[in-house]
PDB file of all heavy atoms in Angstrom:
ATOM      1  N   ILE J   1     107.082  94.658  78.372  1.00 89.00           N
ATOM      2  CA  ILE J   1     108.268  95.211  79.068  1.00 89.00           C
ATOM      3  C   ILE J   1     108.560  96.608  78.673  1.00 89.00           C
ATOM      4  O   ILE J   1     109.011  97.469  79.445  1.00 89.00           O
ATOM      5  CB  ILE J   1     109.489  94.326  78.819  1.00 89.00           C
ATOM      6  CG1 ILE J   1     109.232  92.823  79.353  1.00 89.00           C
ATOM      7  CG2 ILE J   1     110.705  94.934  79.526  1.00 89.00           C
ATOM      8  CD1 ILE J   1     110.308  91.919  79.028  1.00 89.00           C
ATOM      9  N   HIS J   2     108.338  96.846  77.302  1.00 91.00           N
ATOM     10  CA  HIS J   2     108.741  98.135  76.761  1.00 91.00           C
ATOM     11  C   HIS J   2     107.534  98.919  76.234  1.00 91.00           C
ATOM     12  O   HIS J   2     106.499  98.319  75.830  1.00 91.00           O
ATOM     13  CB  HIS J   2     109.745  97.893  75.653  1.00 91.00           C
ATOM     14  CG  HIS J   2     110.938  97.210  75.980  1.00 91.00           C
ATOM     15  ND1 HIS J   2     111.969  97.853  76.712  1.00 91.00           N
ATOM     16  CD2 HIS J   2     111.460  95.986  75.758  1.00 91.00           C
ATOM     17  CE1 HIS J   2     112.985  97.067  76.881  1.00 91.00           C
ATOM     18  NE2 HIS J   2     112.666  95.846  76.397  1.00 91.00           N
ATOM     19  N   ASN J   3     107.728 100.268  76.234  1.00 94.00           N
ATOM     20  CA  ASN J   3     106.810 101.046  75.490  1.00 94.00           C
ATOM     21  C   ASN J   3     107.005 100.950  74.026  1.00 94.00           C
ATOM     22  O   ASN J   3     108.207 101.079  73.600  1.00 94.00           O
ATOM     23  CB  ASN J   3     106.942 102.573  75.951  1.00 94.00           C
ATOM     24  CG  ASN J   3     106.701 102.706  77.403  1.00 94.00           C
ATOM     25  OD1 ASN J   3     105.934 101.908  78.000  1.00 94.00           O
ATOM     26  ND2 ASN J   3     107.270 103.706  77.946  1.00 94.00           N
ATOM     27  N   MET J   4     106.064 100.719  73.176  1.00 96.00           N
ATOM     28  CA  MET J   4     106.222 100.436  71.794  1.00 96.00           C
ATOM     29  C   MET J   4     105.552 101.365  70.881  1.00 96.00           C
ATOM     30  O   MET J   4     104.681 102.147  71.365  1.00 96.00           O
ATOM     31  CB  MET J   4     105.743  99.003  71.457  1.00 96.00           C
ATOM     32  CG  MET J   4     106.402  97.866  72.249  1.00 96.00           C
ATOM     33  SD  MET J   4     108.141  97.769  71.855  1.00 96.00           S
ATOM     34  CE  MET J   4     108.074  97.286  70.121  1.00 96.00           C
ATOM     35  N   ALA J   5     105.845 101.337  69.601  1.00 97.00           N
ATOM     36  CA  ALA J   5     105.283 102.326  68.695  1.00 97.00           C
ATOM     37  C   ALA J   5     105.330 101.854  67.309  1.00 97.00           C
ATOM     38  O   ALA J   5     106.088 100.966  66.902  1.00 97.00           O
ATOM     39  CB  ALA J   5     106.050 103.668  68.855  1.00 97.00           C
ATOM     40  N   TRP J   6     104.487 102.447  66.451  1.00 98.00           N
ATOM     41  CA  TRP J   6     104.506 102.239  65.050  1.00 98.00           C
ATOM     42  C   TRP J   6     105.054 103.574  64.478  1.00 98.00           C
ATOM     43  O   TRP J   6     104.732 104.635  64.902  1.00 98.00           O
ATOM     44  CB  TRP J   6     103.103 102.001  64.459  1.00 98.00           C
ATOM     45  CG  TRP J   6     102.617 100.623  64.664  1.00 98.00           C
ATOM     46  CD1 TRP J   6     101.794 100.127  65.598  1.00 98.00           C
ATOM     47  CD2 TRP J   6     102.892  99.581  63.777  1.00 98.00           C
ATOM     48  NE1 TRP J   6     101.550  98.796  65.396  1.00 98.00           N
ATOM     49  CE2 TRP J   6     102.210  98.392  64.248  1.00 98.00           C
ATOM     50  CE3 TRP J   6     103.715  99.373  62.552  1.00 98.00           C
ATOM     51  CZ2 TRP J   6     102.256  97.161  63.656  1.00 98.00           C
ATOM     52  CZ3 TRP J   6     103.715  98.153  61.987  1.00 98.00           C
ATOM     53  CH2 TRP J   6     103.095  97.025  62.489  1.00 98.00           C
ATOM     54  N   TYR J   7     105.892 103.424  63.436  1.00 98.00           N
ATOM     55  CA  TYR J   7     106.470 104.494  62.724  1.00 98.00           C
ATOM     56  C   TYR J   7     106.235 104.350  61.249  1.00 98.00           C
ATOM     57  O   TYR J   7     105.923 103.260  60.840  1.00 98.00           O
ATOM     58  CB  TYR J   7     108.057 104.533  63.035  1.00 98.00           C
ATOM     59  CG  TYR J   7     108.440 104.628  64.396  1.00 98.00           C
ATOM     60  CD1 TYR J   7     108.520 103.461  65.218  1.00 98.00           C
ATOM     61  CD2 TYR J   7     108.720 105.873  65.054  1.00 98.00           C
ATOM     62  CE1 TYR J   7     108.912 103.540  66.556  1.00 98.00           C
ATOM     63  CE2 TYR J   7     109.202 105.899  66.386  1.00 98.00           C
ATOM     64  CZ  TYR J   7     109.175 104.763  67.105  1.00 98.00           C
ATOM     65  OH  TYR J   7     109.628 104.813  68.448  1.00 98.00           O
ATOM     66  N   ARG J   8     106.472 105.420  60.506  1.00 98.00           N
ATOM     67  CA  ARG J   8     106.363 105.328  59.050  1.00 98.00           C
ATOM     68  C   ARG J   8     107.405 106.286  58.460  1.00 98.00           C
ATOM     69  O   ARG J   8     107.807 107.264  59.082  1.00 98.00           O
ATOM     70  CB  ARG J   8     104.983 105.665  58.555  1.00 98.00           C
ATOM     71  CG  ARG J   8     104.547 107.072  58.773  1.00 98.00           C
ATOM     72  CD  ARG J   8     103.059 107.155  58.358  1.00 98.00           C
ATOM     73  NE  ARG J   8     102.599 108.599  58.379  1.00 98.00           N
ATOM     74  CZ  ARG J   8     101.319 108.926  58.266  1.00 98.00           C
ATOM     75  NH1 ARG J   8     100.400 108.029  57.988  1.00 98.00           N
ATOM     76  NH2 ARG J   8     100.909 110.183  58.432  1.00 98.00           N
ATOM     77  N   GLN J   9     107.853 105.928  57.243  1.00 98.00           N
ATOM     78  CA  GLN J   9     108.853 106.708  56.551  1.00 98.00           C
ATOM     79  C   GLN J   9     108.526 106.721  55.101  1.00 98.00           C
ATOM     80  O   GLN J   9     108.224 105.650  54.452  1.00 98.00           O
ATOM     81  CB  GLN J   9     110.215 106.125  56.812  1.00 98.00           C
ATOM     82  CG  GLN J   9     111.309 106.960  56.357  1.00 98.00           C
ATOM     83  CD  GLN J   9     112.649 106.469  56.781  1.00 98.00           C
ATOM     84  OE1 GLN J   9     112.898 105.288  57.049  1.00 98.00           O
ATOM     85  NE2 GLN J   9     113.719 107.400  56.883  1.00 98.00           N
ATOM     86  N   THR J  10     108.701 107.877  54.509  1.00 97.00           N
ATOM     87  CA  THR J  10     108.600 108.018  53.095  1.00 97.00           C
ATOM     88  C   THR J  10     109.970 108.475  52.513  1.00 97.00           C
ATOM     89  O   THR J  10     110.821 109.021  53.301  1.00 97.00           O
ATOM     90  CB  THR J  10     107.565 109.062  52.636  1.00 97.00           C
ATOM     91  OG1 THR J  10     107.762 110.362  53.336  1.00 97.00           O
ATOM     92  CG2 THR J  10     106.170 108.606  53.070  1.00 97.00           C
ATOM     93  N   PRO J  11     110.247 108.252  51.250  1.00 92.00           N
ATOM     94  CA  PRO J  11     111.608 108.559  50.728  1.00 92.00           C
ATOM     95  C   PRO J  11     111.889 109.977  50.935  1.00 92.00           C
ATOM     96  O   PRO J  11     111.087 110.914  50.683  1.00 92.00           O
ATOM     97  CB  PRO J  11     111.384 108.232  49.188  1.00 92.00           C
ATOM     98  CG  PRO J  11     110.402 107.196  49.189  1.00 92.00           C
ATOM     99  CD  PRO J  11     109.417 107.489  50.272  1.00 92.00           C
ATOM    100  N   GLY J  12     113.112 110.233  51.370  1.00 92.00           N
ATOM    101  CA  GLY J  12     113.610 111.671  51.626  1.00 92.00           C
ATOM    102  C   GLY J  12     113.156 112.349  52.855  1.00 92.00           C
ATOM    103  O   GLY J  12     113.471 113.399  53.160  1.00 92.00           O
ATOM    104  N   LYS J  13     112.418 111.574  53.694  1.00 95.00           N
ATOM    105  CA  LYS J  13     111.900 112.167  54.977  1.00 95.00           C
ATOM    106  C   LYS J  13     112.317 111.283  56.175  1.00 95.00           C
ATOM    107  O   LYS J  13     112.550 110.120  55.975  1.00 95.00           O
ATOM    108  CB  LYS J  13     110.319 112.267  54.928  1.00 95.00           C
ATOM    109  CG  LYS J  13     109.765 113.263  53.946  1.00 95.00           C
ATOM    110  CD  LYS J  13     108.316 113.407  54.085  1.00 95.00           C
ATOM    111  CE  LYS J  13     107.782 114.532  53.245  1.00 95.00           C
ATOM    112  NZ  LYS J  13     106.254 114.662  53.343  1.00 95.00           N
ATOM    113  N   GLN J  14     112.344 111.939  57.282  1.00 95.00           N
ATOM    114  CA  GLN J  14     112.661 111.202  58.503  1.00 95.00           C
ATOM    115  C   GLN J  14     111.521 110.313  58.898  1.00 95.00           C
ATOM    116  O   GLN J  14     110.328 110.571  58.597  1.00 95.00           O
ATOM    117  CB  GLN J  14     113.015 112.166  59.611  1.00 95.00           C
ATOM    118  CG  GLN J  14     114.349 112.884  59.527  1.00 95.00           C
ATOM    119  CD  GLN J  14     114.742 113.523  60.806  1.00 95.00           C
ATOM    120  OE1 GLN J  14     113.874 114.000  61.550  1.00 95.00           O
ATOM    121  NE2 GLN J  14     116.087 113.736  61.018  1.00 95.00           N
ATOM    122  N   ARG J  15     111.945 109.210  59.572  1.00 96.00           N
ATOM    123  CA  ARG J  15     110.921 108.282  60.159  1.00 96.00           C
ATOM    124  C   ARG J  15     110.089 109.089  61.187  1.00 96.00           C
ATOM    125  O   ARG J  15     110.645 109.785  61.996  1.00 96.00           O
ATOM    126  CB  ARG J  15     111.544 107.105  60.752  1.00 96.00           C
ATOM    127  CG  ARG J  15     110.710 105.901  60.993  1.00 96.00           C
ATOM    128  CD  ARG J  15     111.571 104.740  61.365  1.00 96.00           C
ATOM    129  NE  ARG J  15     112.163 104.068  60.309  1.00 96.00           N
ATOM    130  CZ  ARG J  15     113.444 103.613  60.266  1.00 96.00           C
ATOM    131  NH1 ARG J  15     114.225 103.845  61.269  1.00 96.00           N
ATOM    132  NH2 ARG J  15     113.889 102.959  59.206  1.00 96.00           N
ATOM    133  N   GLU J  16     108.733 108.932  61.137  1.00 97.00           N
ATOM    134  CA  GLU J  16     107.877 109.617  62.101  1.00 97.00           C
ATOM    135  C   GLU J  16     107.013 108.662  62.909  1.00 97.00           C
ATOM    136  O   GLU J  16     106.657 107.628  62.432  1.00 97.00           O
ATOM    137  CB  GLU J  16     107.017 110.631  61.377  1.00 97.00           C
ATOM    138  CG  GLU J  16     105.977 109.966  60.453  1.00 97.00           C
ATOM    139  CD  GLU J  16     105.031 111.005  59.854  1.00 97.00           C
ATOM    140  OE1 GLU J  16     105.088 112.168  60.224  1.00 97.00           O
ATOM    141  OE2 GLU J  16     104.140 110.611  59.026  1.00 97.00           O
ATOM    142  N   LEU J  17     106.773 109.004  64.082  1.00 97.00           N
ATOM    143  CA  LEU J  17     105.953 108.180  64.991  1.00 97.00           C
ATOM    144  C   LEU J  17     104.504 108.351  64.644  1.00 97.00           C
ATOM    145  O   LEU J  17     103.945 109.530  64.384  1.00 97.00           O
ATOM    146  CB  LEU J  17     106.145 108.610  66.444  1.00 97.00           C
ATOM    147  CG  LEU J  17     105.450 107.722  67.498  1.00 97.00           C
ATOM    148  CD1 LEU J  17     106.439 107.590  68.686  1.00 97.00           C
ATOM    149  CD2 LEU J  17     104.129 108.225  67.890  1.00 97.00           C
ATOM    150  N   VAL J  18     103.800 107.239  64.457  1.00 98.00           N
ATOM    151  CA  VAL J  18     102.410 107.297  64.156  1.00 98.00           C
ATOM    152  C   VAL J  18     101.470 106.991  65.424  1.00 98.00           C
ATOM    153  O   VAL J  18     100.475 107.686  65.607  1.00 98.00           O
ATOM    154  CB  VAL J  18     102.082 106.166  63.087  1.00 98.00           C
ATOM    155  CG1 VAL J  18     100.621 106.108  62.782  1.00 98.00           C
ATOM    156  CG2 VAL J  18     102.933 106.401  61.817  1.00 98.00           C
ATOM    157  N   ALA J  19     101.927 106.006  66.179  1.00 98.00           N
ATOM    158  CA  ALA J  19     101.088 105.657  67.353  1.00 98.00           C
ATOM    159  C   ALA J  19     102.014 104.973  68.327  1.00 98.00           C
ATOM    160  O   ALA J  19     102.881 104.278  67.954  1.00 98.00           O
ATOM    161  CB  ALA J  19      99.962 104.784  66.986  1.00 98.00           C
ATOM    162  N   SER J  20     101.673 105.095  69.638  1.00 98.00           N
ATOM    163  CA  SER J  20     102.513 104.394  70.666  1.00 98.00           C
ATOM    164  C   SER J  20     101.608 103.854  71.706  1.00 98.00           C
ATOM    165  O   SER J  20     100.534 104.220  71.913  1.00 98.00           O
ATOM    166  CB  SER J  20     103.458 105.474  71.278  1.00 98.00           C
ATOM    167  OG  SER J  20     102.767 106.522  71.912  1.00 98.00           O
ATOM    168  N   ILE J  21     102.107 102.886  72.344  1.00 96.00           N
ATOM    169  CA  ILE J  21     101.466 102.149  73.456  1.00 96.00           C
ATOM    170  C   ILE J  21     102.448 101.828  74.514  1.00 96.00           C
ATOM    171  O   ILE J  21     103.486 101.192  74.277  1.00 96.00           O
ATOM    172  CB  ILE J  21     100.637 100.928  72.898  1.00 96.00           C
ATOM    173  CG1 ILE J  21      99.823 100.288  74.090  1.00 96.00           C
ATOM    174  CG2 ILE J  21     101.583  99.933  72.273  1.00 96.00           C
ATOM    175  CD1 ILE J  21      98.816  99.206  73.583  1.00 96.00           C
ATOM    176  N   THR J  22     102.113 102.264  75.700  1.00 94.00           N
ATOM    177  CA  THR J  22     103.114 101.933  76.859  1.00 94.00           C
ATOM    178  C   THR J  22     102.885 100.568  77.346  1.00 94.00           C
ATOM    179  O   THR J  22     101.782  99.891  77.037  1.00 94.00           O
ATOM    180  CB  THR J  22     102.913 102.961  77.941  1.00 94.00           C
ATOM    181  OG1 THR J  22     101.662 102.687  78.697  1.00 94.00           O
ATOM    182  CG2 THR J  22     102.909 104.317  77.489  1.00 94.00           C
ATOM    183  N   LYS J  23     103.777 100.010  78.111  1.00 90.00           N
ATOM    184  CA  LYS J  23     103.641  98.726  78.735  1.00 90.00           C
ATOM    185  C   LYS J  23     102.405  98.635  79.631  1.00 90.00           C
ATOM    186  O   LYS J  23     101.946  97.588  79.844  1.00 90.00           O
ATOM    187  CB  LYS J  23     104.887  98.309  79.469  1.00 90.00           C
ATOM    188  CG  LYS J  23     105.412  99.251  80.515  1.00 90.00           C
ATOM    189  CD  LYS J  23     106.679  98.918  81.093  1.00 90.00           C
ATOM    190  CE  LYS J  23     107.202  99.882  82.116  1.00 90.00           C
ATOM    191  NZ  LYS J  23     108.525  99.506  82.607  1.00 90.00           N
ATOM    192  N   GLY J  24     101.973  99.821  80.102  1.00 91.00           N
ATOM    193  CA  GLY J  24     100.812  99.865  80.961  1.00 91.00           C
ATOM    194  C   GLY J  24      99.583 100.020  80.135  1.00 91.00           C
ATOM    195  O   GLY J  24      98.444  99.950  80.744  1.00 91.00           O
ATOM    196  N   GLY J  25      99.684 100.197  78.826  1.00 92.00           N
ATOM    197  CA  GLY J  25      98.498 100.306  77.970  1.00 92.00           C
ATOM    198  C   GLY J  25      98.061 101.694  77.591  1.00 92.00           C
ATOM    199  O   GLY J  25      97.004 101.859  76.884  1.00 92.00           O
ATOM    200  N   SER J  26      98.756 102.723  78.042  1.00 96.00           N
ATOM    201  CA  SER J  26      98.396 104.054  77.664  1.00 96.00           C
ATOM    202  C   SER J  26      98.755 104.227  76.177  1.00 96.00           C
ATOM    203  O   SER J  26      99.793 103.796  75.710  1.00 96.00           O
ATOM    204  CB  SER J  26      99.123 105.034  78.410  1.00 96.00           C
ATOM    205  OG  SER J  26      98.743 105.024  79.753  1.00 96.00           O
ATOM    206  N   ILE J  27      97.913 104.928  75.446  1.00 97.00           N
ATOM    207  CA  ILE J  27      98.002 104.996  73.967  1.00 97.00           C
ATOM    208  C   ILE J  27      98.018 106.508  73.541  1.00 97.00           C
ATOM    209  O   ILE J  27      97.303 107.341  74.113  1.00 97.00           O
ATOM    210  CB  ILE J  27      96.808 104.315  73.269  1.00 97.00           C
ATOM    211  CG1 ILE J  27      96.955 102.842  73.420  1.00 97.00           C
ATOM    212  CG2 ILE J  27      96.793 104.702  71.788  1.00 97.00           C
ATOM    213  CD1 ILE J  27      95.775 102.024  72.932  1.00 97.00           C
ATOM    214  N   ASN J  28      98.926 106.776  72.569  1.00 98.00           N
ATOM    215  CA  ASN J  28      98.943 108.091  71.934  1.00 98.00           C
ATOM    216  C   ASN J  28      99.030 108.005  70.429  1.00 98.00           C
ATOM    217  O   ASN J  28      99.657 107.032  69.914  1.00 98.00           O
ATOM    218  CB  ASN J  28     100.172 108.881  72.507  1.00 98.00           C
ATOM    219  CG  ASN J  28      99.864 109.505  73.876  1.00 98.00           C
ATOM    220  OD1 ASN J  28      98.972 110.406  73.917  1.00 98.00           O
ATOM    221  ND2 ASN J  28     100.495 108.993  74.883  1.00 98.00           N
ATOM    222  N   TYR J  29      98.487 108.996  69.813  1.00 98.00           N
ATOM    223  CA  TYR J  29      98.522 109.068  68.349  1.00 98.00           C
ATOM    224  C   TYR J  29      99.080 110.274  67.790  1.00 98.00           C
ATOM    225  O   TYR J  29      98.842 111.345  68.394  1.00 98.00           O
ATOM    226  CB  TYR J  29      97.109 108.770  67.690  1.00 98.00           C
ATOM    227  CG  TYR J  29      96.512 107.490  68.050  1.00 98.00           C
ATOM    228  CD1 TYR J  29      95.661 107.360  69.082  1.00 98.00           C
ATOM    229  CD2 TYR J  29      96.825 106.328  67.293  1.00 98.00           C
ATOM    230  CE1 TYR J  29      95.046 106.104  69.434  1.00 98.00           C
ATOM    231  CE2 TYR J  29      96.279 105.092  67.703  1.00 98.00           C
ATOM    232  CZ  TYR J  29      95.294 105.043  68.728  1.00 98.00           C
ATOM    233  OH  TYR J  29      94.816 103.791  68.966  1.00 98.00           O
ATOM    234  N   ALA J  30      99.709 110.264  66.695  1.00 98.00           N
ATOM    235  CA  ALA J  30     100.094 111.517  66.002  1.00 98.00           C
ATOM    236  C   ALA J  30      98.788 112.107  65.511  1.00 98.00           C
ATOM    237  O   ALA J  30      97.772 111.406  65.278  1.00 98.00           O
ATOM    238  CB  ALA J  30     100.983 111.157  64.777  1.00 98.00           C
ATOM    239  N   ASP J  31      98.871 113.456  65.373  1.00 98.00           N
ATOM    240  CA  ASP J  31      97.608 114.108  64.920  1.00 98.00           C
ATOM    241  C   ASP J  31      97.043 113.552  63.667  1.00 98.00           C
ATOM    242  O   ASP J  31      95.813 113.414  63.360  1.00 98.00           O
ATOM    243  CB  ASP J  31      97.847 115.606  64.737  1.00 98.00           C
ATOM    244  CG  ASP J  31      98.047 116.258  66.088  1.00 98.00           C
ATOM    245  OD1 ASP J  31      97.621 115.732  67.129  1.00 98.00           O
ATOM    246  OD2 ASP J  31      98.533 117.427  66.098  1.00 98.00           O
ATOM    247  N   SER J  32      97.956 113.156  62.727  1.00 97.00           N
ATOM    248  CA  SER J  32      97.510 112.610  61.415  1.00 97.00           C
ATOM    249  C   SER J  32      96.822 111.256  61.546  1.00 97.00           C
ATOM    250  O   SER J  32      96.151 110.818  60.658  1.00 97.00           O
ATOM    251  CB  SER J  32      98.759 112.447  60.556  1.00 97.00           C
ATOM    252  OG  SER J  32      99.753 111.558  61.129  1.00 97.00           O
ATOM    253  N   ALA J  33      97.005 110.567  62.741  1.00 98.00           N
ATOM    254  CA  ALA J  33      96.382 109.218  62.910  1.00 98.00           C
ATOM    255  C   ALA J  33      95.169 109.231  63.750  1.00 98.00           C
ATOM    256  O   ALA J  33      94.442 108.238  63.766  1.00 98.00           O
ATOM    257  CB  ALA J  33      97.441 108.337  63.439  1.00 98.00           C
ATOM    258  N   LYS J  34      94.962 110.310  64.498  1.00 98.00           N
ATOM    259  CA  LYS J  34      93.858 110.381  65.484  1.00 98.00           C
ATOM    260  C   LYS J  34      92.516 110.128  64.743  1.00 98.00           C
ATOM    261  O   LYS J  34      92.198 110.803  63.756  1.00 98.00           O
ATOM    262  CB  LYS J  34      93.841 111.612  66.270  1.00 98.00           C
ATOM    263  CG  LYS J  34      94.983 111.740  67.262  1.00 98.00           C
ATOM    264  CD  LYS J  34      94.977 113.057  67.928  1.00 98.00           C
ATOM    265  CE  LYS J  34      96.112 113.200  68.963  1.00 98.00           C
ATOM    266  NZ  LYS J  34      96.132 114.538  69.598  1.00 98.00           N
ATOM    267  N   GLY J  35      91.698 109.268  65.389  1.00 97.00           N
ATOM    268  CA  GLY J  35      90.377 109.038  64.837  1.00 97.00           C
ATOM    269  C   GLY J  35      90.327 108.061  63.673  1.00 97.00           C
ATOM    270  O   GLY J  35      89.244 107.646  63.260  1.00 97.00           O
ATOM    271  N   ARG J  36      91.447 107.690  63.144  1.00 98.00           N
ATOM    272  CA  ARG J  36      91.468 106.762  61.986  1.00 98.00           C
ATOM    273  C   ARG J  36      92.350 105.461  62.312  1.00 98.00           C
ATOM    274  O   ARG J  36      91.935 104.449  61.733  1.00 98.00           O
ATOM    275  CB  ARG J  36      92.163 107.424  60.738  1.00 98.00           C
ATOM    276  CG  ARG J  36      91.385 108.694  60.349  1.00 98.00           C
ATOM    277  CD  ARG J  36      91.931 109.265  59.056  1.00 98.00           C
ATOM    278  NE  ARG J  36      93.384 109.553  59.135  1.00 98.00           N
ATOM    279  CZ  ARG J  36      94.305 109.042  58.323  1.00 98.00           C
ATOM    280  NH1 ARG J  36      94.014 108.215  57.388  1.00 98.00           N
ATOM    281  NH2 ARG J  36      95.530 109.474  58.476  1.00 98.00           N
TER     282      ARG J  36
END
């Protein structure tokens, strides 16, 4: 139903998006996650 994502957070920093997947299956990655 929803577009979903993985996030990560380290102490003192804002939560950042790592990877996302839409309800239709489209996928995007943060540059730091691409290829890994």
Side-chain angles (χ1 to χ4, degrees):
I1 300 173
H2 298 288
N3 300 336
M4 300 296 298
W6 281 98
Y7 302 84
R8 67 187 182 188
Q9 188 172 26
T10 55
K13 293 188 177 181
Q14 285 193 333
R15 196 172 278 139
E16 64 173 357
L17 187 145
V18 176
S20 63
I21 182 167
T22 70
K23 54 188 178 182
S26 297
I27 289 172
N28 280 292
Y29 297 99
D31 287 344
S32 58
K34 286 179 181 176
R36 301 188 300 125

